[in-house]
Amino acid sequence: MTKAEREAFLADVHVGVIGIAHNEQGPLTVPIWYSYEPGGTVNVIISPSSLKARAIDAAGRFTLCAQTEAAPYQYVSVEGPAVAEPVDANERRAMAHRYLGPELGDLYVAGTQDDAKDNIVVRMTPERWRTTDYNKQFA
């Protein structure tokens, strides 16, 4: 993919898979919601006490992979250093709307407000990109 194609793909709505180095074990890899605007950071909202947060804090970076679920397949994998900061209610709501739409997103935010009150946003600055677009090979 070109730079513009990979950034547009990553900005689309996909459930990502986050990968984080984790002690002497294999990497921690789990599905996750994320946000991204071309040229910006990859953002994930997590609990500061989660295994993901502890692993990111120790590693100082993470990888995120987003893909299509139907052939011909496409994927973007991006990796880089990460920093955590408090997340505000507007960003949390925007993430819920991104994945659930406004109505269900607002219900999700309201229903998880107590559990998420200490959540953080982790912002990853993309350094390395890996991409494949099989549409180009089979078109």
Side-chain angles (χ1 to χ4, degrees):
M1 292 182 189
T2 67
K3 180 180 183 206
E5 289 169 338
R6 74 186 187 201
E7 289 192 348
F9 182 90
L10 195 62
D12 282 344
V13 178
H14 304 278
V15 172
V17 175
I18 193 169
I20 313 156
H22 181 57
N23 299 328
E24 299 294 320
Q25 305 169 11
L28 173 64
T29 54
V30 293
I32 196 162
W33 291 355
Y34 72 92
S35 65
Y36 175 75
E37 293 292 330
T41 58
V42 176
N43 310 299
V44 297
I45 298 173
I46 57 179
S47 167
S49 62
S50 69
L51 181 56
K52 291 184 291 287
R54 294 192 309 270
I56 291 169
D57 185 54
R61 59 195 315 108
F62 69 85
T63 300
L64 184 104
C65 182
Q67 66 183 25
T68 58
E69 297 292 327
Y73 300 104
Q74 299 170 293
Y75 77 83
V76 168
S77 178
V78 60
E79 181 260 331
V83 296
E85 60 187 53
V87 64
D88 71 32
N90 291 331
E91 186 169 8
R92 188 167 174 270
R93 182 175 295 104
M95 185 78 74
H97 285 192
R98 173 177 165 84
Y99 283 93
L100 300 173
E103 186 176 335
L104 286 177
D106 285 344
L107 288 171
Y108 171 83
V109 168
T112 60
Q113 189 168 350
D114 289 341
D115 293 336
K117 66 179 180 275
D118 295 327
N119 276 2
I120 56 174
V121 58
V122 182
R123 302 190 192 285
M124 182 256 283
T125 302
E127 283 185 344
R128 286 184 202 80
W129 295 79
R130 291 169 185 85
T131 67
T132 293
D133 183 352
Y134 288 109
N135 285 304
K136 292 181 178 183
Q137 292 178 316
F138 300 111

